[in-house]
Amino acid sequence: MKNNRREFLQKLTLLAAAGSTASIPLSARTKAKNKEDGKSDAFLTAPYLQNMSETEITVSAITGIDSLCWVELIMDNNEKRHVFNKKDGFIDVGKGLVQFKIDNLSPGKTYRYRLYIKEINSFEPYDLQYGDTYHTEIFTFTTPDKDAETVSCLILNDIHDRPKSFKHLLDFNTKPYEFVFLNGDMFDYQTDENQLIEHLIQPCTDIFASEKPFILSRGNHETRGKFARDIKDYFKYPKDKYYFSFQQGPAFFIVLDTGEDKPDDTPVYADIVDFDAYREEQKRWLEEEVMNTSAYKNALYKVVFMHIPTFHSGDWHGTMHCRELFSSLFENHKIDIVISGHTHRYGVHAPNSEHRYPIIIGGGPKEGERTVIHFEADPEQLKVSMLDDNGIEVGKYEIPSQT
Ligand SMILES: [Fe+2]
């Protein structure tokens, strides 16, 4: 759908600079990140959408220059709404991550937007000097309709620092989708911001993420490395937690953060993790969700995303602890389907004597193991279709509506 990063940056439009009306090529007017292709460093990423609900969305990006940045929301009548970040009486300026929460949106409505950036050349106490102003191309997004009868999404898992896999896999999809769920282990371990840009955000904005949101769900590799404690800043979650639920169309989605796969006292974890307690916290939260949430009870379909599945994933601690904590809850509260990754062996596991709910497991990072899963639900049925990295359907599962 969307162009690659170079095209994005070429489309970043130079507005008339103060005192100038000339249209000057972007590459000549900005600090070049890479002189050979003239890339601007005004934006290090295209905008990427997070945490979309019926009335709210977060537009995020990473800027590479000291600047004032804002979102322009363009309404149907071409009226423009400018969204800045404000705190303590200040309007945010600076360089790096920017996140704009846009609220008061209408459900089921398509909006146009673009990001503006105004360079700050000097920042003295009584003399702030602005440079040029740029804006991105215009993107669109559509908020979910609270009365929607359908929902659809794509699911990727276990990319493991192979950014080319995003396009390779998503190119096989021909069906509509409203968001992309990244079901853990997008990385081997967390290094720095540049890894997030090059191996996740940019590959996603090249294809869809400026117009459709993605949800990054943690696997057991997003918990590793010196930057693991920082990555959450770059994404937005309901209530700022990696585990949460949301309703969209006829489905109620539960997202669990299954943590590490080995015991917390495994030497390489260096005594700085406590995932047992964290999974138990999620069990208590999940009990509340399934017992006391009317949206859960009333939903036509109940869907769980969790990186480590409760079965078909060996007998290491993470799998066994997830099984012990969650599996009977899934059964007793009629979860319709669990969608996982982690094993690097794709498979569709129908209900059996061990688990009375189906478990769909996406593939691994290597060529020949990779998969993309398409999920769709309507009043008649829930359908999951898994394609391999030749575009061949290697798994499917259908659940008729109970009503
Ligand atoms: Fe994993």
Side-chain angles (χ1 to χ4, degrees), residues 4 11 14 25 55 66 69 77 84 105 113 117 136 180 194-195 217 243 250 262 268 286 295 316 350 360 371-372 380:
N4 63 27
K11 286 182 179 180
L14 177 69
T55 57
D66 287 323
C69 191
N77 58 4
F84 294 88
L105 300 173
Y113 78 98
I117 188 165
T136 66
V180 175
N194 198 51
Q195 179 194 29
S217 184
Y243 62 90
K262 292 179 276 297
V268 291
L286 183 59
W316 282 12
I360 313 300
T371 58
V372 55
E380 277 73 51

Side-chain angles (χ1 to χ4, degrees), residues 158 160 183-185 219-222 224 259 261 307-308 341-344:
D158 293 276
H160 281 281
N183 208 0
D185 287 5
N220 54 303
H221 283 260
E222 278 82 18
R224 299 174 186 175
D261 56 356
H307 177 74
I308 299 177
H342 185 59
T343 65
H344 300 187

